[in-house]
Amino acid sequence: MNDLRPPIGAQLDLVWIETRIEHWLRFGTPETSVRIDRHRRRVSFAPGDVFALMRWLASDTGAVTVSIDIVRAMPPGEPCAVLPWITGAADRLLRQTGDGPVRAVLDTITRIERQGLDPRAVCPDYWRDLDARLRARRPVPLYGRARHEAWLWRRTAS
């Protein structure tokens, strides 16, 4: 029997064709992961899960494009973005393209992890703020334990 219900959360394909197209998760834990073929794996995330997708693409001319998206899977019916590479509901928290901005995001994720914090649990507003500041070429805001504790308290208080 076919299940015609809409997908819950977000689903996407990770593609890996060596030196051509490479998609991988920088952080995030898929709820499911299914190998489609030797180059593709389909992963899905439950509503509320946050993940970072790295995408690297090389053209025949040698040009390389690199990008990172930080996305939160959303329950059906919630306001969300339509992202062409995601099936289901998703809220894009950050999108950066190019070596410099992507490196800044990766460095920020590493700093967060070095503090013993899980980037999946970071306040979504922080990722949006980081995205806006990088686009405006402003200093990167720091995310530390105090800001994280305030976010956790605010979440439980509401």
Side-chain angles (χ1 to χ4, degrees), residues 64-119:
V64 172
T65 302
V66 63
S67 67
I68 186 168
D69 292 89
I70 297 179
V71 178
R72 179 175 50 183
M74 301 294 287
E78 290 290 318
C80 61
V82 175
L83 304 176
W85 40 273
I86 288 185
T87 303
D91 182 19
R92 180 183 282 155
L93 305 174
L94 175 144
R95 174 172 174 72
Q96 291 293 318
T97 303
D99 290 337
V102 168
R103 174 58 44 208
V105 173
L106 293 174
D107 290 346
T108 299
I109 293 167
T110 300
R111 275 195 306 277
I112 289 168
E113 291 171 331
R114 284 188 181 144
Q115 296 177 67
L117 301 173
D118 185 345

Side-chain angles (χ1 to χ4, degrees), residues 10 12 14 25-33 41-53 71 73 113 118-121:
L12 65 133
L14 300 176
L25 297 173
R26 171 54 181 86
F27 67 79
T29 306
E31 188 174 56
T32 63
S33 177
R41 181 170 51 109
R42 181 161 294 143
V43 295
S44 63
F45 294 88
D49 285 353
V50 176
F51 60 94
L53 174 66
V71 178
E113 291 171 331
D118 185 345
R120 296 175 301 175

